[in-house]
Amino acid sequence: MASSVANQLFLFFCLWLYTLSSSQAGHHYSEFRYPFIRKASSFPSSSSFSSSGGGDHAYDYIVVGGGTAGCPLAATLSQKFSVLLLERGGVPFANANVSFSENFHLTLADTSSTSASQYFISTDGVLNARARVLGGGTCINAGFYTRASTRFIHKVGWDAKLVNKSYPWVEKQIVHRPKVAPWQVVVRDSLLDLGVAPFNGFTYDHIYGTKFGGTIFDQFGRRQTAAELLASADPRKLTVLVHATVQKVLFDISGKRPKAVGVLFKDENGNQHQAFLSNSQRSEIILSCGAIGTPQMLLLSGIGQKDELEEKKISVVLHNKFVGKGMADNPMNAIFVPFKRPVQQSLIQTVGITKMGVYIEASSGYGQSKDSIHCHHGIMSAEIGQLSTLPPKQRTPEAIQAYIKRKKDIPHEVFEGGFILEKIASPISTGQLRLISTNVEDNPSVTFNYFKHPRDLQRCVDGIRMATKMAQSEHFRNFTQCDKQTTDKILNMSVSANVNLVPKHTNDTKSLEQFCKDTVITIWHYHGGCHVGKVVNRDYNVLGVNRLRIVDGSVFDESPGTNPQATVMMMGRYMGLKLLRDRLGKGAGV
């Protein structure tokens, strides 16, 4: 405890000094917030490769990816060891598009190269996004916070006592109880009428029934991200570099097994740097690049299917045919509910956890602050206009850019309404990730194979039936002041919203199965690609090499809870504590 207080005092002292030095140097303290965060170009240049590691700038741990798991992991490890955290994006603290709940849609609409969100389109034709900012997905998501089920914790083999210490560590710092919006109360009442009971009130726990969950938006609508968890770090032992784009992991291949020794990264000016681990065999490189970035990084580093690596002229470090395989995403479909008057914006607050393997959530309204980017709804918004009627081979880059531009010019009026969202828990359908190029900044090719398994499709049909009943309920009619809509009309409104690049069909409102396939969207809960027993062991060490570990959702074969961010942040803290205990003993005092 005394050590923790001392670290906090030291941090405040550093902050004070940093404020003085930053103002003199012309930097903006508010942009970086913590004294240990610097631009990648501040790192010493190095031109020689040290196969054994070590040197003046050697670290006990190098964490690649300062996202949902990477920030709490690095903060925890820094309590006892030197840590270098490398993040390809910038900082979220002074970014209005990230910081305010009312700008939620705009972060996803910003398709510029400096956006906190890097959009990609899966081969399924579904628009998607991956984070590119310190704090990761916690900077671009809808903020909903809810824990994993006890079944999930048991399934992955985590120590329940350590889990129950790690969740509160996150919650005390950045999680809040939401002020429940009127629309969300209507959603709750409608779910209860349909038998999604009992009402469990406000809780973080994953239990059957209907509940209100937590949020990482505070009472003023300001987002608290995983980057804020860095406040718990020891500032003397942590270095965070932003705009540090790791190109690959460096290996010593002179021994019986390849050994990770460092990383190669580019700074914001395009200059290359190398960072190395200390000589200790307990030192590690930990990949926390997310479910898209981590399998991509393994492949670029020479771990993957041998013939595919050779095709891309990547030197093979280790053949492993499972890297990038088993990719999954929880498919989501939305029902649009119109209003006769403007409605207060609300993101996810209510969730119905059903026993049929479907989760029901809802959002309403639209917001945009004065200091946000000057465009509307980007690739995530509802619109009349069907680029999606074009077959895949006719979707030229020009057509896609025109599609995005049209979406930026939509009037706000289309958001005078709400959406009931149904998504599939633990989809059985899986796909794969492959490299398109050897440039780490290019998105890989990702296929999720939504609804390939008939059980997934049937659960979607069940969920859509429930969502349409909710939209037709007395609770919703009283709130929206609209007449009861027919199922056909509800589905037609949702189909005409151009939400993906999947070709539409003439019977997509007559067949709920076709409706599910034609209107599928993502809720950014993709996972897999580095599964336990195939790419990593149960402690998440990469199989076949030394000193390389993975800590993120790429190791999961299902997404935890209804929304994964709580568990991924907890995982970062949990694995940090576990590594410290394994290395120092249970009396490490962390």
Side-chain angles (χ1 to χ4, degrees):
M1 185 68 178
S3 173
S4 176
V5 172
N7 286 340
Q8 291 294 324
L9 290 173
F10 185 80
L11 177 58
F12 290 142
F13 177 67
C14 287
L15 291 174
W16 177 69
L17 289 178
Y18 184 71
T19 305
L20 293 178
S21 62
S22 294
S23 61
Q24 293 166 0
H27 296 306
H28 297 289
Y29 158 66
S30 62
E31 182 184 358
F32 291 96
R33 185 166 295 185
Y34 302 113
F36 44 74
I37 300 177
R38 301 196 294 272
K39 288 185 177 180
S41 57
S42 68
F43 195 78
S45 295
S46 56
S47 56
S48 62
F49 168 60
S50 170
S51 62
S52 60
D56 293 337
H57 294 283
Y59 298 88
D60 296 310
Y61 293 96
I62 298 175
V63 179
V64 182
T68 309
C71 286
L73 174 65
T76 302
L77 291 173
S78 76
Q79 294 295 317
K80 299 293 180 181
F81 294 99
S82 62
V83 180
L84 175 65
L85 177 62
L86 299 171
E87 167 52 45
R88 69 188 183 123
V91 290
F93 308 116
N95 185 333
N97 292 335
V98 167
S99 296
F100 300 103
S101 60
E102 60 187 339
N103 293 343
F104 163 66
H105 302 91
L106 300 179
T107 313
L108 300 166
D110 183 359
T111 56
S112 68
S113 61
T114 58
S115 172
S117 158
Q118 180 180 0
Y119 86 93
F120 70 96
I121 304 170
S122 72
T123 64
D124 315 276
V126 172
L127 305 167
N128 216 315
R130 50 193 292 222
R132 182 172 49 196
V133 62
L134 189 67
T138 64
C139 299
I140 65 172
N141 65 19
F144 193 63
Y145 182 98
T146 178
R147 296 181 178 187
S149 65
T150 53
R151 178 196 59 79
F152 179 90
I153 302 300
H154 177 75
K155 176 185 174 184
V156 297
W158 288 340
D159 177 346
K161 288 184 179 179
L162 194 55
V163 165
N164 289 332
K165 288 183 179 179
S166 300
Y167 273 125
W169 180 86
V170 174
E171 290 153 11
K172 289 174 183 176
Q173 297 184 74
I174 64 168
V175 186
H176 308 272
R177 182 169 182 162
K179 182 180 179 182
V180 179
W183 160 264
Q184 299 288 336
V185 174
V186 174
V187 172
R188 176 200 65 186
D189 293 343
S190 180
L191 281 167
L192 292 174
D193 274 3
L194 288 174
V196 187
F199 176 54
N200 295 306
F202 169 76
T203 179
Y204 297 142
D205 293 337
H206 184 96
I207 42 182
Y208 289 120
T210 297
K211 71 167 191 173
F212 298 135
T215 179
I216 57 172
F217 291 105
D218 66 17
Q219 60 180 325
F220 304 108
R222 192 171 185 93
R223 186 190 292 270
Q224 313 288 300
T225 76
E228 265 85 14
L229 299 175
L230 294 170
S232 296
D234 184 335
R236 297 164 293 190
K237 292 188 173 71
L238 177 62
T239 299
V240 178
L241 298 181
V242 293
H243 304 297
T245 305
V246 175
Q247 308 296 298
K248 63 179 179 178
V249 177
L250 303 172
F251 291 94
D252 175 2
I253 56 173
S254 63
K256 290 183 178 179
R257 284 163 61 101
K259 178 176 71 172
V261 294
V263 296
L264 175 70
F265 69 93
K266 283 185 180 179
D267 64 26
E268 70 277 9
N269 301 318
N271 297 319
Q272 289 196 345
H273 305 262
Q274 293 176 343
F276 296 104
L277 291 174
S278 69
N279 288 318
S280 170
Q281 289 302 311
R282 303 296 296 272
S283 294
E284 293 180 357
I285 292 169
I286 304 176
L287 301 182
S288 294
C289 312
I292 305 297
T294 289
Q296 180 187 24
M297 185 58 61
L298 283 181
L299 294 169
L300 292 173
S301 302
I303 299 177
Q305 179 86 24
K306 183 179 179 182
D307 57 350
E308 293 180 11
L309 296 177
E310 290 175 340
E311 182 186 331
K312 292 288 188 292
K313 296 182 170 53
I314 297 171
S315 298
V316 180
V317 173
L318 180 74
H319 168 67
N320 185 326
K321 65 181 181 180
F322 297 111
V323 175
K325 304 301 190 294
M327 296 292 298
D329 187 20
N330 297 67
M332 184 172 78
N333 296 78
I335 296 294
F336 178 64
V337 181
F339 288 65
K340 285 191 173 177
R341 53 190 167 82
V343 62
Q344 174 189 342
Q345 184 195 29
S346 70
L347 301 179
I348 310 302
Q349 295 178 335
T350 308
V351 62
I353 301 174
T354 74
K355 292 187 177 180
M356 60 185 181
V358 172
Y359 302 137
I360 304 290
E361 298 175 352
S363 66
S364 65
Y366 173 77
Q368 181 171 355
S369 69
K370 293 178 180 177
D371 54 357
S372 65
I373 61 173
H374 295 290
C375 71
H376 296 312
H377 324 303
I379 61 175
M380 298 310 297
S381 55
E383 176 207 11
I384 306 302
Q386 297 291 327
L387 174 70
S388 46
T389 58
L390 290 175
K393 290 183 180 178
Q394 294 178 31
R395 293 177 206 145
T396 64
E398 292 79 13
I400 290 173
Q401 287 306 312
Y403 168 90
I404 292 169
K405 183 179 184 302
R406 287 201 307 272
K407 284 184 166 294
K408 289 181 179 178
D409 299 329
I410 309 170
H412 286 190
E413 288 71 29
V414 297
F415 278 91
E416 287 188 5
F419 292 90
I420 303 173
L421 316 172
E422 71 81 29
K423 57 186 176 182
I424 306 304
S426 305
I428 305 169
S429 308
T430 61
Q432 62 185 3
L433 175 151
R434 288 182 174 174
L435 294 180
I436 294 176
S437 78
T438 55
N439 183 352
V440 69
E441 295 181 57
D442 291 343
N443 288 311
S445 169
V446 185
T447 303
F448 293 117
N449 287 324
Y450 298 105
F451 302 127
K452 185 176 183 180
H453 195 283
R455 174 73 183 119
D456 291 343
L457 188 58
Q458 183 56 51
R459 284 188 289 168
C460 176
V461 169
D462 294 340
I464 291 297
R465 284 194 179 119
M466 178 174 286
T468 52
K469 286 179 182 177
M470 291 173 66
Q472 293 166 331
S473 72
E474 187 177 345
H475 297 291
F476 275 87
R477 294 203 311 276
N478 290 342
F479 187 77
T480 63
Q481 298 178 0
C482 290
D483 297 333
K484 185 174 181 178
Q485 309 280 355
T486 65
T487 299
D488 250 19
K489 188 168 183 179
I490 291 170
L491 296 181
N492 267 313
M493 284 189 292
S494 303
V495 168
S496 63
N498 197 11
V499 294
N500 60 31
L501 302 181
V502 176
K504 302 296 182 280
H505 296 79
T506 55
N507 67 333
D508 49 15
T509 62
K510 303 297 181 184
S511 161
L512 290 182
E513 287 83 1
Q514 197 62 56
F515 177 87
C516 285
K517 292 177 181 178
D518 286 359
T519 64
V520 64
I521 54 179
T522 185
I523 193 154
W524 314 288
H525 295 171
Y526 38 80
H527 51 279
C530 298
H531 284 142
V532 174
K534 295 181 178 178
V535 178
V536 296
N537 65 17
R538 289 186 71 83
D539 290 322
Y540 309 129
N541 302 106
V542 176
L543 297 170
V545 300
N546 293 335
R547 304 208 302 181
L548 182 62
R549 194 185 301 260
I550 295 173
V551 178
D552 62 28
S554 68
V555 303
F556 296 154
D557 60 12
E558 68 174 282
S559 184
T562 62
N563 302 67
Q565 73 164 344
T567 303
V568 178
M569 283 190 282
M570 182 280 293
M571 180 191 194
R573 173 64 173 177
Y574 174 95
M575 287 303 299
L577 289 175
K578 189 174 185 301
L579 288 171
L580 293 182
R581 290 184 180 187
D582 290 348
R583 196 163 174 176
L584 300 173
K586 288 191 176 181
V590 181

